[in-house]
Amino acid sequence: MAASRLPLLILGVALALAAPLARGHGGPSQTPAAGPSGCHGPAGWDAACLRPHYSGSPESWPAPSIDPGLAWREWEAVPPAASPPLSWTAANPGQQELAADVARPAVVALGQMLFFDTRLSRKGQVSCASCHLPQRAFTDGLALAVGEDKLMGRRRSTPLYAAPFAPRLFWDGRAASLKEQVLGPIHDPREMNHDASGVVARLLAADPYPAQFLLAFGAAAAPQPPVDADRLARALAAYVATLRPEPTRFDEFLEGRAKALDDTELIGMHLFRTQARCMNCHSGPMLTDHRFHNIGLSFYGRRNQDLGRYEATRDPADLGKFRTPSLRNVSRAGPWMHNGLFADLKGLLRMYNAGMGREPAPADPPDPYAPRKSEHIRPLELSADEIDALLAFMRVL
C-alpha cells in the first residue's frame, strides 16, 4: 500500500465484522448471554467444552449475540442453483423472469459464454471475468477495479456470490435487480466502455451468437434480430445467479460433521457469533444481511472520500453506508472493503477489534453531511489468541 494511504489505514479500517444484522429467520432480535460462558477460563476458551454446544444442526446451537432491533437468520446451507429459483432469488423487479431463465440450461450456458467474452468491451480488452475471476471468489485480487485502457475505478470489484440473493446490487445499491446490474459495467466508461447497441451489433456478426440466442430464447414475437440488449442482460443475469461458493469444511460442520472444524476454528466460530459481534451483519446462508452500513470508512472531507449509498439516493441517512458483502470464501476475496484498503485479513480483524475508523466529530455548527458510524461498530476487546482463532475460522468459510 502506498505510504500516503497508511494514515488512512491506521485511522479507519475495522468495521465489517462488527456490523449489524439480526437473527432467527427474519424474526425479532435477541440479546442472549454470550453463549456457553462456562467454557472460558484463565487459559482462554476450552474447545472441548464448546463442542457439545455446537453439535448437531445450527438450529440447536446457542443463539448468537445480536444487538437489539436487528433482524437476523441462522446459518444454513447455500441453496443450490438446481433448487426452485423462486425459493432463493431476491424478490426484486424481474424475479419471475430471472427464475424462469435460471431454469433453462441454454440461457445459462449463453450467459457463461458472454461472461468470459472480451467482445462485450469496446476495444475487446476486458470481459466480465476480468474483474470477477472464479479462482478469486469472483473478485479480481485488486484494491480497485481496472477496466479498459487500464482505467481504474473508485471501488473494488464486488463479490458475486450473494448477487442473486440481494435486494439491491453494487456497493451502493444503485441497481434494483441483477438484470440491471450486469449492464452497468458494459456502459461504465472506466470498465467496458461500450453501449448496448454496439455490443448487440458485434454479437449479431459473431458466430455462434445468433444461433445461441435463438437456442436460448427462441425467435422474437415480431420479426427482429435474435440478439438484443434485453436478452443479453437476461443471459448474463441467469449465469451470475447460478454462481455458488466453493464448499468448505464450514459447510461440512453445518451439516453436522463435528470434526470438520479443528479446536482453533471452533473457538473462532464461537467468537464470531458472540464477542466479535460479526453476526450482527453476517448471518444467513450467505453470511450477509444484504443491508447497508457505515463502518467508518467514508473518509469524509479527504482525498479518498466515498459516501457510498448516499451517492445513489442523496438521502442523508445513507451517508457513508456500503452493502454488507458475503463472507463465503472470504479468504480468497482480498483485498477487502469497498475500497480494497485492507490487504491483510488479520490486519482487518485488528481494526475491527479497535472499533474501526473514526468519523469526523460534529462541527460547530453541525455539518449535516458528516457521516456517522454505525452504533453497532464498537471495540471488541479480543486477545491476540482470540484474533488468531477468529482468523482461522474466517479462512475456512
Side-chain angles (χ1 to χ4, degrees):
M1 180 176 297
S4 61
R5 300 185 70 188
L6 287 176
L8 302 178
L9 174 63
I10 295 171
L11 254 186
V13 182
L15 233 180
L17 288 175
L21 193 169
R23 167 184 188 133
H25 305 286
S29 64
Q30 306 174 36
T31 308
S37 56
C39 297
H40 188 270
W45 289 97
D46 182 346
C49 176
L50 285 174
R51 280 197 184 278
H53 294 280
Y54 291 105
S55 62
S57 63
E59 290 79 7
S60 66
W61 296 353
S65 300
I66 303 294
D67 287 348
L70 296 179
W72 68 286
R73 290 180 61 187
E74 186 53 274
W75 291 337
E76 57 187 292
V78 177
S83 60
L86 282 177
S87 69
W88 51 264
T89 50
N92 49 21
Q95 182 191 22
Q96 294 278 347
E97 180 182 71
L98 176 62
D101 288 341
V102 168
R104 297 163 65 185
V107 177
V108 175
L110 173 60
Q112 184 175 20
M113 290 174 58
L114 292 164
F115 190 88
F116 289 91
D117 197 331
T118 59
R119 284 175 287 194
L120 270 62
S121 63
R122 184 177 297 276
K123 295 183 179 180
Q125 295 177 351
V126 295
S127 68
C128 301
S130 298
C131 289
H132 301 285
L133 302 169
Q135 66 270 29
R136 300 285 311 192
F138 286 91
T139 61
D140 58 9
L142 302 175
L144 300 174
V146 176
E148 196 164 71
D149 293 328
K150 296 299 180 182
L151 294 186
M152 185 175 289
R154 296 178 61 207
R155 296 171 182 160
R156 180 170 73 100
S157 297
T158 313
L160 293 182
Y161 288 136
F165 308 94
R168 301 202 67 89
L169 284 301
F170 290 117
W171 285 108
D172 56 15
R174 63 186 182 275
S177 68
L178 187 51
K179 182 178 171 182
E180 179 183 351
Q181 184 272 327
V182 295
L183 290 179
I186 295 176
H187 299 151
D188 193 316
R190 290 184 170 272
E191 296 189 52
M192 292 183 172
N193 191 35
H194 215 166
D195 56 80
S197 61
V199 174
V200 168
R202 184 174 291 174
L203 294 178
L204 279 169
D207 287 332
Y209 278 117
Q212 292 297 319
F213 271 85
L214 281 172
L215 177 64
F217 295 105
Q224 65 183 49
V227 183
D228 60 32
D230 183 71
R231 289 179 167 190
L232 168 67
R234 286 173 60 184
L236 282 169
Y239 171 65
V240 172
T242 66
L243 301 179
R244 293 296 184 273
E246 288 292 325
T248 68
R249 289 185 288 110
F250 173 65
D251 296 286
E252 297 176 18
F253 192 83
L254 290 181
E255 293 170 358
R257 187 180 154 203
K259 298 296 185 181
L261 299 184
D262 66 26
D263 287 354
T264 301
E265 293 159 352
L266 179 67
I267 291 170
M269 187 188 80
H270 175 67
L271 290 166
F272 188 104
R273 295 172 61 88
T274 56
Q275 185 180 347
R277 302 174 53 77
C278 308
M279 284 286 283
N280 277 320
C281 290
H282 296 285
S283 69
M286 297 306 300
L287 280 78
T288 172
D289 60 358
H290 301 294
R291 295 185 178 184
F292 300 84
H293 305 287
N294 179 353
I295 61 171
L297 298 180
S298 66
F299 299 110
Y300 179 65
R302 287 168 280 174
R303 185 184 59 171
N304 293 329
Q305 173 179 297
D306 188 339
L307 299 182
R309 181 138 178 75
Y310 172 78
E311 297 186 11
T313 67
R314 299 302 174 95
D315 181 350
D318 290 329
L319 282 161
K321 291 184 177 181
F322 294 89
R323 181 169 155 240
T324 306
S326 169
L327 294 187
R328 289 284 187 167
N329 294 170
V330 64
S331 63
R332 304 181 191 178
W336 295 273
M337 297 303 181
H338 68 274
N339 52 9
L341 188 59
F342 294 95
D344 178 63
L345 194 54
K346 186 172 183 178
L348 172 56
L349 296 184
R350 285 172 172 166
M351 281 298 294
Y352 271 115
N353 196 41
M356 264 303 175
R358 291 185 300 126
E359 290 289 23
D364 187 14
D367 182 352
Y369 296 100
R372 293 292 176 263
K373 187 170 66 175
S374 169
E375 63 181 4
H376 304 291
I377 300 300
R378 308 169 192 169
L380 305 176
E381 299 183 356
L382 299 173
S383 69
D385 287 344
E386 288 171 334
I387 291 175
D388 286 342
L390 187 58
L391 177 62
F393 172 65
M394 293 191 66
R395 284 176 171 163
V396 81
L397 289 177

